[in-house]
Amino acid sequence: MQQTPAHSPGRGRDSFIDVIRALCVLAVISQHWLMPVLSYENGHLSTGNALASPGWWIVTWLTQVMPMVFFAGGAANFFSFRSAKSMRTWLRARIARLLVPVIPLAAVWLLLPHALIAAGVPRQPVLLAGGIAGQLLWFLAVYVLVVALTPVMFRWYRRYGWRVIGVLAVCALAVDVLRFEVSPAIGFLNALFVWLAAHQFGFHYADGSLRLRSGWASAGVAAVGFGITAAAVFFGPYPPSMIGMPGAPVSNMSPPTALMLSLTIGQLGLWLTLKPVITRCAERPRVTAVLQWCGTRFMTLYLWHMPALVMTAGITILGLGFTTPKPGSPMWFAVAPLWVGISGMFLVTFTRIFGRFEIRRPSGAASTAGSASDMGLGKVVLAAVLSAGGLLGLAAQGFISPGNPLAPVLWVLLVLAGLLVVREKNAPKAVAPQGPRTVPVQLAVRQEDARVLSRQATG
């Protein structure tokens, strides 16, 4: 295979992974801002979903980018974990960096809904906003657990290779059968099986074993992935939309179904087909600057884009009496850029205010050359479990719960407890972004990984 610039040994980052991460965050933000169909009357905010319009489900096959988010995370985690001298230090650093940006979000949203209600804002829209602000924390909860499992998955990858993804796929299919035949609650097991498999694809990319000989080969992979997805929708029990739809009896995302694995293959093949174009574009100075800016603020952008939407909706829908035009109409397309622009201004403002919490080195994020002898692995696992539990609670109940006012506080305390467990005193204040490294050209990494594992076993 001919080397692309992203494979150049002299480069310190993999621009392909950088672009995937940036575009995925942009896709998540754009979709969430454009989906709502809102109207307000007599103190009640009605909501709908523009993607529920007839035929619009096909858009979600591209805009549902969570498979690529976990893929890119897997590649980045593989690069950094392989160069880590201590598994415990690596886990502490990763978990802390994920949790720190949540604290200012929680500090604002534990108080803001109550302040708005006290100021006379109608209760129903405020409750809805408090739920939306915490809803997307499900991703962070799952990703914390995936990060905590990375050392185990790394060892299994080195030992079993592609068989790991095969086993995870079989588990995901078995869970789907039990979900449809026994109990829908069983489906939540796929939050780990499905996303661990997508994460594992990132390992294969980072190690060089996912390299394809030509663009035609990767296009063929895309065709196979999307073809399996289409067949499962047409002949199986799966809905066509890759996001949850209002009133739909089954969602492919909440919790994820095994269909997300075939979607992962389709999207991955598509991205690999476009890789030469993407890497050339990423070499441009302006693009590089944007990627560097986003790279240190990904979590802030993700956490605060829904509060930015809440601000836009509060001013335009509640304050000015605006109603979302019919999705797909000329007026909807005319208003969409203005709607996104206003939300974007709020997000930029929030990022400038709260982004500093992410670009500062989180506690525990010492250099990968540092020591973790002051903390056992059990404490790191405890931190992951505590924080994931708190994040899932906030995702389910939001930052305000009329039936149990103390519940959001307790969930935040769990997250804070997890962060304090991995906290390290006297950490440096700032850190350059630890982006993904380049994909190896020579496949001599297996000997290197063996040495890394031996070091980590004694770390």
Side-chain angles (χ1 to χ4, degrees), residues 124-160:
Q124 186 266 348
V126 173
L127 295 178
L128 186 61
I132 289 175
Q135 191 175 26
L136 298 184
L137 291 175
W138 74 264
F139 160 73
L140 196 54
V142 174
Y143 194 69
V144 165
L145 294 177
V146 169
V147 166
L149 289 171
T150 293
V152 175
M153 303 308 295
F154 184 90
R155 285 171 171 79
W156 287 358
Y157 166 77
R158 301 312 301 162
R159 185 171 183 178
Y160 301 110

Side-chain angles (χ1 to χ4, degrees), residues 351-365:
T351 303
R352 287 184 175 180
I353 296 173
F354 301 108
R356 67 191 69 184
F357 293 93
E358 184 173 4
I359 61 177
R360 291 168 66 92
R361 180 186 290 270
S363 299

Side-chain angles (χ1 to χ4, degrees), residues 145-403:
L145 294 177
V146 169
V147 166
L149 289 171
T150 293
V152 175
M153 303 308 295
F154 184 90
R155 285 171 171 79
W156 287 358
Y157 166 77
R158 301 312 301 162
R159 185 171 183 178
Y160 301 110
W162 287 101
R163 285 173 287 180
V164 177
I165 293 179
V167 171
L168 290 171
V170 170
C171 291
L173 287 169
V175 167
D176 276 3
V177 171
L178 295 175
R179 170 183 179 173
F180 292 123
E181 299 295 333
V182 180
S183 171
I186 298 176
F188 284 97
L189 291 173
N190 271 346
L192 279 180
F193 292 141
V194 169
W195 300 131
L196 277 173
H199 190 261
Q200 209 74 2
F201 275 109
F203 283 12
H204 285 275
Y205 170 83
D207 199 19
S209 59
L210 197 58
R211 295 181 298 176
L212 300 174
R213 292 183 180 277
S214 67
W216 287 107
S218 53
V221 170
V224 169
F226 287 126
I228 295 174
T229 304
V233 168
F234 188 79
F235 297 107
Y238 302 103
S241 174
M242 296 301 132
I243 65 171
M245 289 296 181
V250 178
S251 168
N252 283 316
M253 265 299 293
S254 302
T257 64
L259 195 64
M260 283 292 148
L261 294 180
S262 61
L263 185 70
T264 301
I265 295 171
Q267 290 187 352
L268 182 55
L270 181 60
W271 280 98
L272 290 174
T273 303
L274 299 174
K275 181 178 179 180
V277 177
I278 290 172
T279 52
R280 284 197 300 269
C281 180
E283 290 182 334
R284 298 177 180 178
R286 290 185 180 180
V287 176
T288 300
V290 171
L291 293 175
Q292 290 175 347
W293 186 89
C294 291
T296 56
R297 298 168 176 85
F298 277 131
M299 195 55 59
T300 304
L301 292 169
Y302 178 80
L303 293 176
W304 287 95
H305 81 272
M306 291 305 284
L309 175 64
V310 168
M311 290 291 295
T312 302
I315 293 172
T316 59
I317 306 296
L318 272 66
L320 302 178
F322 175 75
T323 298
T324 306
K326 181 181 178 180
S329 66
M331 182 59 69
W332 186 85
F333 282 107
V335 170
L338 181 61
W339 181 267
V340 170
I342 296 173
S343 301
M345 287 190 295
F346 283 121
L347 180 57
V348 169
T349 301
F350 292 153
T351 303
R352 287 184 175 180
I353 296 173
F354 301 108
R356 67 191 69 184
F357 293 93
E358 184 173 4
I359 61 177
R360 291 168 66 92
R361 180 186 290 270
S363 299
S367 168
T368 54
S371 170
S373 59
D374 60 329
M375 175 174 291
L377 182 60
K379 286 188 176 181
V380 179
V381 174
L382 175 64
V385 173
L386 287 174
S387 56
L391 292 166
L392 285 175
L394 291 171
Q397 293 188 340
F399 285 102
I400 180 170
S401 178

Side-chain angles (χ1 to χ4, degrees), residues 51-57:
L51 291 174
S53 303
W56 284 32
W57 54 266

